[in-house]
Amino acid sequence: MAAYIKKNFLLALMVLFLLVVSSYARFNMMVTKGDIESICNKEDINHSLCFEILKPTPEITKLDFSGLANFLINYQSRNTSDTLKQIKMFEGNTTGEDLKSVQLCEEMYDDSLFHNDRALEVLATKDYDTLNIEIGFTLAYMDTCNDGLSTMKPTPQVIITKNSEISSMSAIILVILECFLRKSFLFQKRPHHPKQKTKDK
């Protein structure tokens, strides 16, 4: 009877070990098409933009979730830099209060690029709380820029659209952070509780 119980206990431990290993591997494997669908179908995500950015190219299919976040932050930085060039060109043809709004946007874009660089640094160290803050800065900056541009006549709709797209990229990064990276990090940090030794009587 004792041998039977011991055999079943060892079997249960093996099953538990396999579940733990498979869960750990799941967080460190490449991103699948199903993962991308899950990310892009989340509420408050620009679905069409998300699927356009994360279409399963050879580059995307080789990434894990940390790599995917890195890819998106760099993608966002390139878009931010390109739009900043448009803003600077637009600034040369603007005067008065409208000029102040455009200059504010230029400042916000410069700051966004700084915080994107910081986001890459903290992502590499798995400092996900700070990553959340760094990505949040861009969301706030794009809102501030849009508030200023909305008062201009005519409204520079092209830049407002780019602001919204850059904000949407931040939202996608935050979904990856909350739904995958944080869970992976917490799983890896889960404390191990070795079996306590019983005192000899």
Side-chain angles (χ1 to χ4, degrees):
M1 182 67 177
Y4 175 80
I5 294 173
K6 183 178 180 181
K7 181 179 178 181
N8 281 273
F9 177 72
L10 290 174
L11 181 61
L13 282 179
M14 288 178 64
V15 171
L16 178 61
F17 174 76
L18 288 173
L19 287 173
V20 170
V21 170
S22 63
S23 296
Y24 177 78
R26 173 69 191 88
F27 284 123
N28 289 275
M29 69 192 301
M30 302 303 99
V31 177
T32 67
K33 181 180 178 182
D35 293 327
I36 291 174
E37 289 178 353
S38 175
I39 293 166
C40 293
N41 284 319
K42 292 292 184 185
E43 189 176 357
D44 298 327
I45 291 293
N46 183 329
H47 308 308
S48 59
L49 179 66
C50 183
F51 280 115
E52 178 186 340
I53 297 172
L54 300 184
K55 54 191 173 187
T57 61
E59 181 180 8
I60 294 292
T61 55
K62 293 178 182 177
L63 299 176
D64 59 12
F65 292 110
S66 181
L68 187 65
N70 186 292
F71 168 85
L72 274 165
I73 295 168
N74 280 303
Y75 186 92
Q76 184 183 56
S77 290
R78 290 194 298 272
N79 277 266
T80 301
S81 294
D82 290 344
T83 308
L84 179 57
K85 292 175 184 176
Q86 294 180 11
I87 291 172
K88 288 180 177 179
M89 291 176 62
F90 189 69
E91 181 181 346
N93 299 314
T94 311
T95 58
E97 292 300 316
D98 287 352
L99 178 59
K100 292 181 181 179
S101 296
V102 175
Q103 288 173 333
L104 175 62
C105 281
E106 183 179 340
E107 182 183 343
M108 296 295 96
Y109 268 74
D110 276 329
D111 288 346
S112 291
L113 288 171
F114 169 79
H115 287 288
N116 274 5
D117 288 341
R118 285 277 300 133
L120 290 172
E121 292 173 7
V122 298
L123 172 63
T125 63
K126 298 184 179 181
D127 183 356
Y128 297 134
D129 289 338
T130 304
L131 177 59
N132 192 327
I133 294 170
E134 297 297 338
I135 298 301
F137 275 118
T138 292
L139 284 169
Y141 292 153
M142 294 302 106
D143 284 343
T144 300
C145 180
N146 271 347
D147 287 344
L149 296 180
S150 63
T151 64
M152 295 175 60
K153 301 295 182 184
T155 303
Q157 193 58 47
V158 172
I159 298 177
I160 288 177
T161 298
K162 292 301 297 184
N163 289 346
S164 298
E165 289 179 355
I166 291 169
S167 291
S168 295
M169 293 171 203
S170 291
I172 298 168
I173 296 166
L174 291 176
V175 166
I176 295 170
L177 170 63
E178 295 301 327
C179 295
F180 297 98
L181 292 177
R182 279 193 191 277
K183 289 183 179 179
S184 171
F185 185 65
L186 291 173
F187 180 86
Q188 293 175 40
K189 289 187 66 177
R190 186 177 299 167
H192 173 65
H193 299 292
K195 186 176 180 181
Q196 293 182 347
K197 294 181 179 180
T198 55
K199 294 182 179 180
D200 295 331
K201 292 183 179 180

